[in-house]
Amino acid sequence: MSPPHRSPAGATSSTTTSGTTGTAAWHPAWLPDEALRPLGARGVRLLASGDDPVVTTVRAEVDHAAQTAGTTTTPARATLALASDALAVPGLRAAAEHALALAERPGLAGLLGAQGFVVADDEGALVVVAAQPRGLLAGWHHLVRTGGDASGATAGDLVAHVPSQAVRMLDHWDNLAADSPMGPVERGYAGASLWFADGRVRDDLTRVEHYARLLAHTGINAVCLNNVNVHARESALLTSGIEQVARLAAIFRAAGISTYLAVDFAAPITSGALRTSDPLDDDVRAWWERTFADVYATIPDFGGVVVKADSEGRPGPFAYGRSHADGANLLARALAPYGGTVFWRAFVYDHRQDWRDRGTDRARAAYDHFTPLDGRFDDNVVLQVKLGPIDFQVREPLSPLLTAMPRTRLAMELQVTQEYTGQQQHACYLAPLWREALDFRPWGPVELWDTAATDPDAQTVAEVVRGTDALPGGLVAVANVGDDPFWTGHPLAQANLYAYGRLTWDPTLDPSALLDEWVALTFPQADPAVARTVHALLDESWHVYESYTAPLGIGFMVRPGHHYGPDVDGYEYTPWGTYHFADRDGIGVDRTRATGTGFTDQFPAPWRDVYESLETCPDELLLFFHHVPYSHVLHSGATVVQHVYDTHVAGAQAAERMRDTWRDVRGLVPDDLYARVAERLDEQVRSAAEWRDQITTYFWRKSGIPDPENRVIP
Amino acid sequence: MSPPHRSPAGATSSTTTSGTTGTAAWHPAWLPDEALRPLGARGVRLLASGDDPVVTTVRAEVDHAAQTAGTTTTPARATLALASDALAVPGLRAAAEHALALAERPGLAGLLGAQGFVVADDEGALVVVAAQPRGLLAGWHHLVRTGGDASGATAGDLVAHVPSQAVRMLDHWDNLAADSPMGPVERGYAGASLWFADGRVRDDLTRVEHYARLLAHTGINAVCLNNVNVHARESALLTSGIEQVARLAAIFRAAGISTYLAVDFAAPITSGALRTSDPLDDDVRAWWERTFADVYATIPDFGGVVVKADSEGRPGPFAYGRSHADGANLLARALAPYGGTVFWRAFVYDHRQDWRDRGTDRARAAYDHFTPLDGRFDDNVVLQVKLGPIDFQVREPLSPLLTAMPRTRLAMELQVTQEYTGQQQHACYLAPLWREALDFRPWGPVELWDTAATDPDAQTVAEVVRGTDALPGGLVAVANVGDDPFWTGHPLAQANLYAYGRLTWDPTLDPSALLDEWVALTFPQADPAVARTVHALLDESWHVYESYTAPLGIGFMVRPGHHYGPDVDGYEYTPWGTYHFADRDGIGVDRTRATGTGFTDQFPAPWRDVYESLETCPDELLLFFHHVPYSHVLHSGATVVQHVYDTHVAGAQAAERMRDTWRDVRGLVPDDLYARVAERLDEQVRSAAEWRDQITTYFWRKSGIPDPENRVIP
């Protein structure tokens, strides 16, 4: 491990140090040395021996914390003998000369799994016990996060910390070079790839080591390295490039993170010399078997693959008349001997739709394609389903596919990178959006809309995707990082990455509390005004973004291609299946079963009825499910068009307040970070005004209904 | 000179031969060997000696024609002694052993200028006499075009052929490499640059030699080699790259064509080491003087420069508070000692306009910027003014700036490349559009709209831009060529290039007759059905394109960025100043002086009044000048919205007829050419239907006025 972090050149806060790799420099994010000092000062003794890479990482962390605090580490490290009673933790005390102790105890595996740990207060000495190295590392980061004295354990108590979700993955849409289609990182807004440059893996991976450490801290246990749109150059990573991938895998391995690659379903053709990639072809099967044999010879703990097939032009099994189960199982069976997993994306729809055809509904596509295949996927296939039925809009209903695959491992895919939520120019804290989805109960109860069809014991989405011990699932998200000094372009977008990782571990964490954690780690010893300001800026920022952009669940009023800024009709006459059908009388997509596309039918009760009815459909999703006149009165009491005017004016004003709020922390955070956020907030204010004016003008011109307060520009 | 032409591999017509350069192959366009055969068979004797490059070219042409025809050339070439009477052409006969003769007679210069020639019928022997080598070459191509027996001369007559326009220029928006911003050729739809590749001038310039020959045939006498948006790499062409440019200049010189470069106004900063490009700065002046001294040391007959300054983000004199006269004269004075010319583009407007601001009018910009400077430009500056006030739309009024600069040399800039007219996917013959502009009489008469304010002696635009002997002007156009085998992507787009060149020589040529010429040369000995089909396809193709795209002069309903295909609101809320202001009640831009932006004021009488009045404004420009309700009744009798429905349905039908028409020539033209055109026509039919449906649906949704024939998709 390299020194755990470096901060960007020009950082002026005394809480950060600086360093560079090549010409780049970076901010320490939520692991500045300052954040380790309290723990280091208290002293930690590691009771784990051996050269397991993760144990070695923990050892380096313990040493580094001690050095940071100016204390000396104890040279001797005892090996803990396993107690006969796996939970007889107080017995550890004799071995723990310091106030805190970490211990590796394989006997706890049944309770804690590979990655959990137990915290106990043994007469004032906090003791952390894990069954395996990854749990040990998670326990260490727990101590870092809590400063060693906020663990939640009280004297005599044992508190077990076990991750909620087995799958806690981050996908990187990184391409091998800046001249790749869509640039170095597809939908990336934070510079180039952290690990690819000029067509290969970078020579200097120092920064990747710190990145892996940041992820490990949050709970992430898997990364996919490359763009799901796998082009020819990137396809070779799996074959001729696997030695390069191994360098990255070694870094992530030491942080307790498994490495995956996105692969091209046509790889037997593009990388092999075959004429087909038919999943039922023997040569194809043999090609994948040979390929994975070679992969595992180089990377024995390779995680597996992510596949975007038959999606937006990518090849897939449809070309051969095969099902997606055939496609996924082909790869799964070649991976099974090594314990590898296939993440198969359910993002399959017709991207060459005819806009004239109002009967075809992109929202239906994933459900229609995949529900017939439930139970037909092998056990080492995880079906990766986007949160909503369209594509990461600021507001969508839950993808009903998540409710309809009981015999399939599922992962819900989120987007940490802000493709449709401001592209890290706008501050938009997404944890509340994710929590709303994770907490959603597809089978009821319907809290806001009082219907009889409720089931108080119904599962939440978090419980659905968690799956079972036999068929565990979890969460996947698209990362928002790059070689930008602040990792995420907008420094406050670090909070999204932090919160995503933490929610994978515990989906019940409160978004506001996660902000507190992030602030405490990122700005240690900062004035309390910093936390207040971050909350004032971020707590409601998702709703603010929604308010000045796409109203009432309509979505996709963005500039085609890059997806930044407003263009109400930008996608209206395109093949992408993303329409609003606004005319001079009204707007919205009729997805009811009574008169529309029947999409509401894909939901279980009660939501299939809640969404079907204009009486009960939530305002924020009204136009997703219904086509209504501009004069339709919402539950809020406003008409649709007045809601559009009001929310857009208010949203742009809120953006201005966010900009003003930030000024409260000038001098309290590093100057370069302050300036970067200030610059982004200026752009957010400009852009929010542009959104407000375009959207309100569009609907004024179309509806002819004036704003009573004359705030709309004709 | 290389062999005069090669044709693409796979051409099956017996009238073409084939060849390649590297991996490329090309079609001979309007100079296949077959076209030379009649002339070669009749025999031509060249009476001009010396090693002038153009004379050498003529000699090679004469020899090649004879070889093509299977006749032998006469080894001896007599030098013609100048007759005391410069027009005593019949006296030539004794020296002319063959039926046709070319003679260089410097004494004719006063009458013919450098590039004219005289044709005489001397008792059955056609005699062509020119004063200078370029005239000799023009005369040769006249003979090629007419086959030596359709010159228009009758026995004893002398017919002088003198170019109408002194400036007959073609601008190439070529970049040095495929990874340049906007690709290898900005707004190019025919492959990569003919002369640049991989950051430098190509090694093999064989094809450029044939290209120069094609241009010389039409009358072109100047080319600019590189994109007017001059990026850093291309800026170096003028300095460290000038030796490479010299290789191209030598090829064009031999074809009687002068070579220009587009330059960056900030070159003293970007290519020099200065901190300013202020036109009044002594160091800047010295830098340009030094630079041009070096240029002319390498290319003694370098034509000069083309400059896009203070336009769409390009640097210019405004940054220093200087005028465009200051900017242009800076370069002009550095070029003057060598006889070089500055082409200074008038395409200056605010491309960061606020769409909310209905008072600012991009159409006004060029006039407002430049008319105060009339008389302040040096004599070796030509102000290059786009045909219309906006940007090469399918229909615009004339740029009034062309009427308001009597003391300035002017060139009207046309766009042969079909940026806004179908991008060489659609067949769109532009000569009728250009003729309409060239024939336009800005001071009247108003033929179609009977007003009293007419002046039958008023100049045409062709006469305006021709200028005077002291201050001559002419025509400039953006080329439509690339390394595509057919030069222009769509083979029928060759006709645009051909017709443009011919119109620079004689703006009174009939577009339909030019098509006949082009067909006769390009498809020699072809079945008469070929000419019929080309006429059926192209004669009205401009009006067809207009009918299914932007109606009534509104313009810019294209996809932003690439400008292909419909997007009615694509530019409506952008900073580009291109709006239609459609709302539920009506559409159009009020540019009247009574209630609008006052743009009509920029025209002289009678047009300032014709355009101002709804009563007299021509239908095809109605929405350019007026905002009217959808129910407004046109001169044609239709309402605006019904016109939109009718023309779009009819236009798409016309495209289908064009596709069907082409089938008549299967087997009568080379198969590869047939297939290429057929493929493009398929795309034109598809695209025209898309235009029809988007435009009609848009206006149906907005106006709510149904089509009585129910042809519109809601």
Side-chain angles (χ1 to χ4, degrees), chain A residues 10-63:
Chain A
T12 58
S13 161
S14 63
T15 64
T16 59
T17 58
S18 68
T20 62
T21 175
T23 57
W26 65 81
H27 177 259
W30 50 86
L31 287 178
D33 282 353
E34 280 293 313
L36 306 178
R37 206 165 293 170
L39 188 61
R42 294 195 59 182
V44 177
R45 179 160 188 181
L46 174 64
L47 301 176
S49 66
D51 59 359
D52 176 278
V54 176
V55 173
T56 303
T57 296
V58 177
R59 193 175 297 131
E61 290 278 357
V62 170
D63 290 350

Side-chain angles (χ1 to χ4, degrees), chain A residues 141-297:
Chain A
H141 281 298
H142 174 84
L143 293 176
V144 170
R145 188 180 311 114
T146 57
D149 56 9
S151 65
T154 55
D157 272 3
L158 285 177
V159 180
H161 293 261
V162 179
S164 160
Q165 307 288 324
V167 171
R168 306 192 299 281
M169 188 159 180
L170 206 53
D171 282 357
H172 299 80
W173 288 355
D174 290 18
N175 297 317
L176 270 168
D179 66 353
S180 299
M182 306 298 285
V185 180
E186 182 154 341
R187 308 304 176 189
Y189 312 105
S193 169
L194 287 167
W195 41 77
F196 298 140
D198 304 321
R200 53 197 303 279
V201 173
R202 291 177 187 268
D203 291 330
D204 182 353
L205 296 176
T206 312
R207 189 169 177 179
V208 180
E209 296 177 11
H210 188 64
Y211 180 60
R213 187 170 172 254
L214 290 172
L215 296 190
H217 180 89
T218 68
I220 297 297
N221 67 351
V223 291
C224 180
L225 298 178
N226 63 308
N227 187 0
V228 289
N229 293 312
V230 185
H231 305 291
R233 194 155 52 182
E234 288 78 10
S235 190
L237 284 169
L238 190 72
T239 53
S240 56
I242 199 66
E243 295 282 353
Q244 291 184 59
V245 173
R247 294 178 53 225
L248 290 162
I251 291 171
F252 286 109
R253 177 185 303 119
I257 296 170
S258 302
T259 295
Y260 289 71
L261 287 175
V263 300
D264 178 6
F265 191 76
I269 301 170
T270 52
S271 294
L274 303 189
R275 295 185 159 202
T276 179
S277 58
D278 183 346
L280 302 193
D281 182 275
D282 285 341
D283 291 337
V284 170
R285 187 160 52 234
W287 187 88
W288 284 109
E289 286 169 358
R290 268 199 320 278
T291 297
F292 286 128
D294 291 346
V295 166
Y296 281 90

Side-chain angles (χ1 to χ4, degrees), chain A residues 323-349:
Chain A
S323 77
H324 276 238
D326 293 331
N329 293 343
L330 165 73
L331 299 175
R333 286 163 200 177
L335 283 165
Y338 314 100
T341 303
V342 175
F343 284 82
W344 190 266
R345 294 178 90 231
F347 186 55
V348 177
Y349 70 99

